[in-house]
Every structure is written in structure tokens, then in C-alpha cells.
Amino acid sequence: MKRNCRLRLHCVIHIIKTCYECIANLIVKEVAALERKKKKQHGFGWSRIWMRDRELYAMCLAPLVMVVVFRYLPIYGIVMAFERYTPSKGFFHSEFVGLKYFIQFFRDPFCFRIIKNTVLLSLYSLLWTFPAPILLALLLNEVRHARYKKLVQTVTYLPHFISVVILVGLMKELFSSVDGIVNRLIVALGGSAVNFFSEPGWFRSLYIGSSLWQGVGYGSIIYLAALAGIDMEQYEAARIDGANRLQKILYITLPGIMPTTVILLIMRMGSLFSNDFQKILLMYSPATYSTADVISTYTYRYGLENSNYSYAAAIGLMLSVISFVFVWGANAFSKKVSENSLW
């Protein structure tokens, strides 16, 4: 009797288990069919992503075309650096000369002077213009008066939209040795008038000071955006623990914007041998070549004005390789000592 009851119970359990598995399989099949139907209706993979974000991709199309046309297509022209380029023969039929123009550059008597000027101008600019936007963003972040904060932001942003030509024109008027406001003030205080744009010792100060004035406000936008992403609960917790304003900046604000700062610094290292060519060309003169002549202006004078395109291409290629090495080295160093890097 007991054995029959056990057999019947076992059969009932087996039937229930079989029914459960059948129902579960049916549900899984129905869900899979619905998913396939949904993908067939709305597409899948890249087509679905394209349809969803087609407006954003359309907006990116023009900048992408511009980068390809002006940055990638001209790359094949670097063959000029290794040949005596003749426009009538073209890129691949001119006489091959190897490393002649690279050697010619380093044998030039002004080579190390222009390299020195380029590096010093870049380092001084990095020293002054890179931390200035960070400092301005930190100060603006501490301002609690909304209208005053907006006023300061507007006043500091506006110089960025002044063209370089107008900026240099204003500087020449302000620092004119004849009737400039700065020289008038110096004379009124008992000093002698200074010809700022003809004395080599003043060139770097004028260049860096104007860059600082023009770019500090606009450069702070990125850091203000990074500051806006810091969790406010950290400040509340620090306030409860008794931290003052300086301690909050040191232990919360600065670590919060450190990834952004590192990325921008790595990108800035790529332009260590590049300066604002247009501004230098407008500011300098033969009297200030000893401190103002940099690689880009030298290339313009000896390479482009004299139609020596191969020489200019050789110098440009060399600078590109050096810039890549600096970016790669800065990225590797940052990746080794911290968790922040470009790749």
C-alpha cells in the first residue's frame, strides 16, 4: 500500500515538472520571437544607432570632412621633405635627395637660436597660461553672488573673441613709444619712454601677457564644467568634519578636476614646439629676432617666401615627429603615475 502511494506521488511530481518545463520553454520561445520581430521593425546594430542619432552624426559630418581634407589628405605631401621638389614634376617625380634638408637645417647658424626661442617661449607660456584658467575657475567656483559671477565670466570671456590682428594693433597703440598710454604713464612717473616692440627683452613678456589676457577666461570654461560634476555631498561631509574653504579646495576640488587637467596638459605637450605663428609674425621685427624668431616664422621666411617648399616640409615633418614623441611620453608618464591618460 505504501509503495503504491509513493509511486503515485512520484508520477504526479514528474508530470508537474514536465508541465513546468514545457511552459518555460514556450515563454522563452515567445520572448525570443518578440525580440526578433522588434529588431526587424526597428533595425539593429549600426543601422539602429544611426537612425536614433542621425542628427548628431549629421552635425559631425562637416568637421570630419574638414579634418580629412586639411589634415589627412595633405600627409602624402611629406615626400617633399626627401626630394628637391619641382612643381612641374610633381611629388613623386622630383629628384630624391634623402636627408639633405634636415642636415641643412641643423647646419644653419641660426638653428639653435630659433630652437631655443621656440622652447623658451612655449615653456614660459605653459608656466603662465596653463595654470591661470584653473586658478580663475577655482576663484569663480567660490563666488556665491550670482550676478557678480556672471559679470566676471563675461568680462574674462570677451577677449577670446578679439582677432589676433586687432589684438596686436591694440598692443602697438597702447605700448607705442610716441603717444602710447603705457609710455605716457611711465613718463608721468618720472621714467623714460620705452620702445617695447623694438627691444628684444620685452617681446616674450608682451607675447605671454597678451595670450594670458586673451585666453584665461575662455580656458576656464572646461574647468568650470569639471567643477560642476563634483558631488556636492563631498563638500557637505567635509563641512561637517570641520574642513575650511582651503582644505575643501585641496582635498576635494583639485582632485575632482585632476583628470581634466592631466588630459589638457598632455594635449598641451604636443604644442611645445608650436607657437602662435600669426601673433609672432605680427609682433616681431628684425630688431627682435634674437628672442622672437621661432621655428614657424623661420620656416615661413626661408621656406615659403623663398619657394623652398622641400626645406619647409622637412622642418614641418621634424616638428610633427617631435610633438608626437612629447605627447606619447607625457601620456605614458601620466599613465604610469596615475590613472589618467589619453589612451
Side-chain angles (χ1 to χ4, degrees):
M1 187 70 178
K2 290 182 179 180
R3 184 179 179 182
N4 291 335
C5 291
R6 289 178 181 176
L7 288 173
R8 290 175 183 176
L9 181 61
H10 179 73
C11 292
V12 170
I13 293 173
H14 180 70
I15 293 171
I16 293 173
K17 184 178 179 181
T18 304
C19 293
Y20 175 79
E21 291 178 353
C22 292
I23 294 172
N25 290 332
L26 287 174
I27 293 173
V28 170
K29 289 180 180 179
E30 289 296 327
V31 171
L34 289 174
E35 289 292 331
R36 287 194 297 270
K37 185 178 179 181
K38 185 177 180 181
K39 287 183 178 180
K40 186 179 292 186
Q41 289 177 350
H42 300 285
F44 60 95
W46 285 105
S47 61
R48 181 172 60 84
I49 296 174
W50 170 260
M51 291 302 296
R52 184 189 64 190
D53 301 326
R54 56 185 179 276
E55 294 85 0
L56 297 177
Y57 287 116
M59 291 175 62
C60 296
L61 185 61
L64 179 63
V65 171
M66 186 175 67
V67 169
V68 171
V69 171
F70 292 102
R71 297 291 183 179
Y72 287 96
L73 291 183
I75 288 179
Y76 75 95
I78 63 176
V79 296
M80 286 194 302
F82 305 96
E83 59 187 15
R84 185 179 287 108
Y85 175 71
T86 304
S88 60
K89 295 181 180 180
F91 289 110
F92 302 103
H93 300 284
S94 298
E95 180 186 356
F96 181 79
V97 295
L99 301 177
K100 173 186 175 181
Y101 295 107
F102 296 92
I103 298 172
Q104 179 181 337
F105 172 71
F106 285 105
R107 286 180 176 176
D108 191 289
F110 300 109
C111 170
F112 293 101
R113 186 188 74 177
I114 62 175
I115 292 177
K116 173 186 173 184
N117 291 340
T118 304
V119 174
L120 287 178
L121 203 60
S122 298
L123 288 177
Y124 291 154
S125 297
L126 182 67
L127 180 64
W128 288 97
T129 62
F130 186 78
I134 302 175
L135 181 60
L136 178 61
L138 293 175
L139 294 174
L140 289 175
N141 188 57
E142 297 298 322
V143 175
R144 296 294 175 260
H145 196 285
R147 290 186 178 180
Y148 177 74
K149 184 176 182 178
K150 291 180 180 179
L151 176 63
V152 174
Q153 287 177 322
T154 304
V155 171
T156 54
Y157 293 169
L158 285 178
H160 174 77
F161 301 99
I162 300 175
S163 70
V164 178
V165 178
I166 296 176
L167 174 64
V168 175
L170 290 173
M171 291 171 60
K172 289 186 176 181
E173 290 294 329
L174 291 172
F175 294 94
S176 173
S177 60
V178 180
D179 55 355
I181 297 176
V182 177
N183 270 313
R184 285 187 178 184
L185 182 61
I186 293 174
V187 172
L189 295 175
S192 302
V194 180
N195 194 350
F196 290 97
F197 280 87
S198 296
E199 294 191 9
W202 283 101
F203 178 82
R204 290 170 185 159
S205 300
L206 292 173
Y207 176 86
I208 296 171
S210 60
S211 300
L212 185 64
W213 176 75
Q214 189 177 26
V216 63
Y218 190 79
S220 64
I221 295 176
I222 299 177
Y223 297 104
L224 287 172
L227 289 171
I230 300 177
D231 190 2
M232 297 302 297
E233 292 183 358
Q234 298 183 37
Y235 291 103
E236 292 295 329
R239 184 181 61 82
I240 294 173
D241 290 340
N244 55 34
R245 182 169 294 185
L246 180 60
Q247 290 173 331
K248 292 178 184 178
I249 293 175
L250 291 176
Y251 298 107
I252 299 177
T253 305
L254 289 179
I257 64 173
M258 188 57 64
T260 303
T261 305
V262 171
I263 296 300
L264 292 177
L265 181 59
I266 293 173
M267 296 176 66
R268 185 70 177 269
M269 293 300 295
S271 60
L272 189 61
F273 277 81
S274 301
N275 306 107
D276 193 339
F277 164 74
Q278 186 178 0
K279 183 190 288 187
I280 296 175
L281 192 66
L282 293 170
M283 289 179 59
Y284 85 151
S285 64
T288 59
Y289 278 175
S290 59
T291 57
D293 195 20
V294 294
I295 295 177
S296 56
T297 55
Y298 172 84
T299 305
Y300 174 77
R301 288 199 315 275
Y302 286 87
L304 300 181
E305 287 187 344
N306 297 331
S307 300
N308 194 348
Y309 303 117
S310 297
Y311 190 50
I315 298 174
L317 177 59
M318 181 182 63
L319 290 182
S320 299
V321 172
I322 293 174
S323 298
F324 172 76
V325 171
F326 271 98
V327 172
W328 181 83
N331 184 80
F333 178 78
S334 175
K335 191 174 183 179
K336 186 175 181 179
V337 301
S338 66
E339 298 178 355
N340 306 308
S341 61
L342 281 174
W343 65 85

